[in-house]
Amino acid sequence: MESTDKRKKIEVCFSPYLFPLFKDEFDIVVVIDVLRATSAICAAFDNGVKELIPVTSIEEAIEYKSKGYLVGAERQGKIVDGFDFGNSPYSYRKPELKGETVVLSTTNGTKTINIAKEAGQVVIGALVNLDVLCEWLIEQDKNVLCLCSGWQNKFNLEDTICAGGILDQLLATGNYRSEEDSSIAAKYLFLSAKDNILGYLKASSHRRRLKNLNLNEDIKYCLTANTCPVIPVLKGDKISLDA
Ligand code: 3SL
């Protein structure tokens, strides 16, 4: 019997590894990599970057570099030798990047963006654009999957908390439903963390990894909600602002 429930679905997938189990049921995929790829992408667009090309491999990044593009590349939290910048949101806030096209390759985030495009419209999500993103998703009125980039296919706390924040706002409208335990877990993690996300993540694996690289300012930037009111969407192979 056909369901009479007309509400749209919102669910959370903890890692790209689990994505094949979800991918056929959603219209919009929100790719989340709070530390730091999707926060850096939001920072870039908030600064007026025109387009950003997310590439999976360093080989592709090298090819773009040889064609004269500005290219950022990060592996294991560090800038890859020979590239213009890495994955710090502050690198993407430089005035000289306004109006430019930038290429970016990161350990997990850009890989996840390229995986997600098989499934539906891809939009970039982070804590820095949380509220505007939720408003935009609600306007679209479609089935939404929050896809956490995690760390090398493993679960991570910061992406799950951000996904839980999105779920919380969409469910509050009464126009969405959610059934998966991953979504319930994400929502409860967000509710426990929301008043002090920085403190909540103190012991988290990637926060420790970045802290060891002296990237505390980046961590603070990425964990501060609603500083970049932008909606970056993937169109073909390029990310640009939703028109
Ligand atoms: O994995 C990624 O895409 C990066 O965000 C990792 S890092 O924060 O630059 O270490």
Side-chain angles (χ1 to χ4, degrees):
M1 206 170 71
E2 208 185 307
S3 162
T4 53
D5 191 342
K6 297 288 178 235
R7 291 173 302 168
K8 301 297 176 193
K9 270 195 302 193
I10 170 141
E11 303 290 2
V12 175
C13 173
F14 286 153
S15 101
Y17 188 72
L18 297 170
F19 182 54
L21 304 175
F22 289 83
K23 68 176 188 176
D24 296 329
E25 299 165 37
F26 297 90
D27 309 303
I28 298 180
V29 183
V30 182
V31 174
I32 302 169
D33 185 359
V34 168
L35 293 174
R36 295 169 289 169
T38 57
S39 305
I41 293 171
C42 290
F45 283 102
D46 189 51
N47 180 37
V49 162
K50 184 174 153 225
E51 287 173 330
L52 187 143
I53 306 173
V55 298
T56 301
S57 69
I58 292 295
E59 290 70 30
E60 289 166 278
I62 291 171
E63 207 175 316
Y64 275 106
K65 183 106 183 82
S66 71
K67 290 179 187 158
Y69 282 84
L70 282 167
V71 185
E74 165 277 332
R75 286 297 179 274
Q76 309 300 324
K78 296 182 192 145
I79 302 177
V80 180
D81 282 348
F83 288 94
D84 302 302
F85 24 72
N87 198 17
S88 168
Y90 289 105
S91 307
Y92 296 89
R93 299 206 63 84
K94 294 190 175 142
E96 58 269 30
L97 292 188
K98 275 189 210 310
E100 296 290 339
T101 295
V102 176
V103 178
L104 176 63
S105 181
T106 72
T107 310
N108 305 285
T110 57
K111 195 172 82 187
T112 309
I113 292 168
N114 284 312
I115 291 170
K117 69 187 179 196
E118 297 164 26
Q121 183 179 8
V122 174
V123 60
I124 302 302
L127 290 168
V128 296
N129 71 342
L130 181 65
D131 287 355
V132 286
L133 172 65
C134 291
E135 278 164 32
W136 183 85
L137 288 169
I138 292 163
E139 271 168 31
Q140 309 305 305
D141 192 28
K142 294 204 170 134
N143 296 314
V144 177
L145 179 67
C146 296
L147 174 58
C148 301
S149 298
W151 182 259
Q152 295 180 330
N153 277 324
K154 292 182 183 165
F155 171 92
N156 79 21
L157 275 173
E158 63 276 10
D159 295 346
T160 309
I161 287 169
C162 179
I166 297 168
L167 189 98
D168 188 45
Q169 289 201 31
L170 268 58
L171 288 179
T173 64
N175 296 332
Y176 292 83
R177 66 194 159 89
S178 170
E179 284 156 13
E180 300 287 345
D181 283 358
S182 53
S183 307
I184 298 168
K187 182 174 161 177
Y188 283 115
L189 276 174
F190 170 74
L191 293 177
S192 322
K194 70 179 171 118
D195 294 330
N196 180 9
I197 294 182
L198 193 65
Y200 196 90
L201 290 173
K202 208 165 194 166
S204 71
S205 57
H206 200 46
R207 189 176 163 188
R208 266 186 285 123
R209 207 174 282 123
L210 294 178
K211 199 170 166 236
N212 289 338
L213 295 169
N214 285 323
L215 293 171
N216 267 330
E217 288 310 309
D218 283 16
I219 298 170
K220 279 189 207 148
Y221 186 96
C222 297
L223 299 184
T224 305
N226 300 318
T227 54
C228 298
V230 292
I231 307 293
V233 291
L234 188 67
K235 294 173 195 157
D237 290 332
K238 295 177 181 163
I239 299 171
S240 57
L241 285 180
D242 183 53

